Structure formats: structure tokens, C-alpha cells
Amino acid sequence: MTFSKNESLCKQELQSWQLTHLQETLERVYYLVPFYKKKFDDAGVLLKDIKSLKDLSKLPFTKKQDLRDNYPFGMFSVDMDQIVRIHSSSGTTGKPTVVGYTEHDMSIWAEVMGRAFTMGGVTCQDIMQNSHGYGLFTGGLGFHSAAERMKIAVIPSSTGFTSRQLLLLKDFGATVLTATPSFALHMAEVAKNEGYDIQKDFKLKVGFFGAEPTSDGMKKEIASIWGIDYHEVYGLSEIIGPGVACNCKHSNLLHIHEDHFYPEIIDPKTGEVLPEGERGELVITTLTKQGLPIIRYRTGDITSLTRIPCKCGRTLGRIESIVGRSDDMLLINGVNVFPSQIEHVLSKQDGVTLNYQIIADKKGYLDKLEIDIELNPEMMSDDIGDLDRLKKTIQHALLNHLYINVDVKLVAPKSLTRSEGKAIRVIDKRQK
Ligand code: DLL
């Protein structure tokens, strides 16, 4: 069963829908968003040059930095009186990336999430505990609004407060769980410690997880500990939020809702479009969005795309689980962290140098971030109190700027390894 008829259009119908909506979107952005008019003019591309889907590759890419440069609302194609929701994600310079939705966009979001819920067999008989963070992050409210529109009873438990989450999960009898994979595993660990019998005390049958790269092993572990069907949801706020792609029961590959989000896979170094099946960076063009239509957005996510038919009957292409990122962004418990954000904070601190190393690791099932920073030689002192105060000041500044707790270690001058080429700033022990 599918949620909407566009999920199983034949190739010609789908391509004709995509081309019509692409041309409409290009008109919209060219005439309503000065950034795109300049970009297309500079590239010497006329709207009438885009006669086929392949012609899309003539257009320049949009990057995260473009959204920052047009902060906050410069890329919107409607007036504020038509915007009904604003979300944002954190940025390298302190300026977040801002996204806005019209009522029409909210319907598209609910539709693609409805497709995901249907892939997991969820109906209005279900109760969904939504343990994604609520707020500017699109995870919490993205799942919430779509569930409500499908008349699914949704428990807005948000993330954290694990013991209380477990109490609600048991007493309210949720059948569906949504969370980041690391939080789902953390919940299971706490449940065991608190003496719950996971299979007997909870009624969960399916879970939707995403927002961070997850190994197949971790997915299997979550499915088996909770005794649920694991569905992966992929998405990013710049495109819509969660719901860009999701896997059905027949495959681990994720159906990408390409009637709304047109995918291309490019070589991240050359920008060339790669043939189907090859791995590269996912680039997405929105086909139906009004608030923030976006052309050839470089997601930074590495994956591949296939259009080999799926047993479920959906004709939408499928992407493999995100393999990694083409930039240096770290995802710490679902929060985006760039090394340059950390450097920005350190550059404002007296007493330390900019010789630092970032170490991402796991503590239990949660991510933890440690930063080793070399002290300024003048700060070398025997006064432990001074050093402790400095450490706390930096931790506080990082929390304020990144919204995550960071374990700061102050180390002696010249004690970190120097490299001859590019400095190795990040050691990600989670990938081992
Ligand atoms: O993470 C939206 C989301 C919320 C997706 C909840 C799924 C569930 P952003 O905060 O803008 O949006 O972060 C987007 O997160 O470019 C990927 O690098 C990463 N990401 C999202 N989903 C997955 C996934 C939300 N299933 C960035 N697997 C994206 C791996 C993912 N990485």
C-alpha cells in the first residue's frame, strides 16, 4: 500500500511531472529570488535553455554558505505573510541557516512523512512517542505535525529525560518510536539498568530513526533490542527536514521522494553528474516548494542512487544509507558541529592557543566530544585553580555556541602532534 499515487507513477509520467515542476520552480526563483537571478545570469543560462531534466546540470549549485550569505530570509520566494513555520540549524560563524515553510510546504512535508509512516505500516490506530528534539531542529516538529495530520496520537516527549521517557513509553503504550539511533540505544541501555523487561513492558512494533549516520550493525541492534521493524528516515532542513527519503519493508535502500526532491549524484571534487549506481555527493533540487525553493543544493552527503525497481511497487528511485559527508561536519547526538565553529570560540579565549584536536567518541550509546587545547606558554602555572577556571570558561563558551557539552582538556604547549600538510583536527573514534 502506498500513501500517494505519485509513488508509483511510470517512468514517463514521473519525468513529465518532474520537468513541469522543475520549469515552474526555475521561473519562481529567477523572478522572485534576486540571488538566483544573479546566479543564472552570471552563468549565462536562460530559463528557456532548460528543456529536459538533463539540462539541469547547466545550472550552478547552491551551497550552505549561500543561505548564510542571505541570512535570514533572503532566499525565501514568498512574503512573510505566507510563511507559517521557521526552522534553522547552527552555522560555522554563529549565523544559522534559516528555512521557511508556507502552508503548502507543510502539506508536502506531511505528505512525504505520511509516505514514510505508511512504509512502516503505521495507521491512526497507533501511538507514536516522538523522542526527537523539539525546537529549531526539524526532527521533533517534522515528525509531530505529520503524525497529527495522519491522526496518529503523538506523544511529544522530545529528547533527554530518559527515565521519564521510559515511564511514558510503558504507561502510554506507544507502538511507534522516533528518535536518533544513538538516543534509541541509550534508552534501551537505561531501560535495562532500571529493570524493565524490554520485550514485555513495551508495546513498540516499529521505529523511525535518522539524523545521523548509522552502521548496519547499530540498526540491527536497535531493531533486535526493542523488537521492532527499523525504518530509516533521511532528510535535511534546507530541503524540508526529515522525510526526504525512507526505506520500505522490502529493502534497506531509501526511496527518495523525487516527485518533490529531484536527486543528482555528483563527483564532489569536479561537480560532474555521475551515472546511476555510482557513489558521490547527493545534490537536490526542490520541485514543489514555495517558501524556500532550492536549486541543485549540495547536501554534502555521500550516497548512490538506483532506479532498479523495488518489490514494493514504488517507482521512486532509492538511495543507499548515507556513507559519510564530503565536508568536515561532525554530528554529535544529532547536533551539527563544524571544527571551524570550535576554532571560532577558541580564537576568542585568552590563555589558550589555536593548536587543538577534536576527539569524537562514544560513551555508552551516546556521542561525546573532547577537545584537547594547548595552553599559551604564559598560562603554564602551578595554580590548579586558574587552570580549572579557564577550562570551565571555555566549556561554557562552547556550550553557549554549539549547544552541546564538550569535555575540555588543557594540555602543555607543543604537546600535540604537528602535521606537515593539513592539520588533522578531528579524530573520530566512532567510525572504528
Ligand atoms: O537531521 C533532519 C532529520 C531529522 C532527518 C530527523 C531524520 C530524522 P539537519 O539537522 O538539517 O536535518 O541535518 C541534516 O543530517 O545532511 C545528513 O548529514 C544528516 N542526516 C540526516 N538523516 C540522516 C540519515 C535533519 N538517515 C544532515 N543518515 C544531513 C545519515 C543523516 N545522516
Side-chain angles (χ1 to χ4, degrees), residues 131-189:
S131 303
H132 275 296
Y134 278 63
L136 290 171
F137 174 55
T138 49
L141 283 167
F143 275 90
H144 185 107
S145 306
E148 266 188 2
R149 286 198 190 197
M150 264 184 83
K151 304 207 178 342
I152 298 163
V154 52
I155 306 165
S157 58
S158 196
T159 193
F161 304 102
T162 317
S163 297
R164 198 182 54 158
Q165 296 263 358
L166 293 166
L167 181 97
L168 300 181
L169 199 58
K170 180 167 183 273
D171 293 349
F172 294 3
T175 48
V176 184
L177 176 67
T178 75
T180 56
S182 48
F183 191 62
L185 269 186
H186 177 68
M187 280 172 77
E189 194 177 40

Side-chain angles (χ1 to χ4, degrees), residues 94-137:
K95 287 267 169 74
T97 313
V98 182
V99 298
Y101 306 72
T102 63
E103 189 52 52
H104 166 85
D105 299 334
M106 294 301 292
S107 302
I108 291 169
W109 199 1
E111 185 196 343
V112 292
M113 287 301 295
R115 293 180 187 184
F117 295 151
T118 306
M119 288 184 206
V122 178
T123 70
C124 59
Q125 307 293 326
D126 283 294
I127 302 177
M128 180 181 293
Q129 183 146 327
N130 185 11
S131 303
H132 275 296
Y134 278 63
L136 290 171
F137 174 55

Side-chain angles (χ1 to χ4, degrees), residues 28 80 129 223 261 265 286 290 314 321 326 370 419 430:
R28 166 180 280 275
M80 195 46 78
Q129 183 146 327
F261 318 118
I265 302 289
T286 63
Q290 295 177 338
R314 288 175 181 85
S321 275
S326 62
E370 183 194 300
S419 81
R430 299 171 301 174

Side-chain angles (χ1 to χ4, degrees), residues 13 24 42 79-80 82 96 106 112 137 153 191 313 315 333 398:
E13 285 171 325
E24 277 171 18
D42 288 351
D79 290 333
M80 195 46 78
Q82 293 187 53
M106 294 301 292
V112 292
F137 174 55
T315 50
N333 297 319
L398 288 167

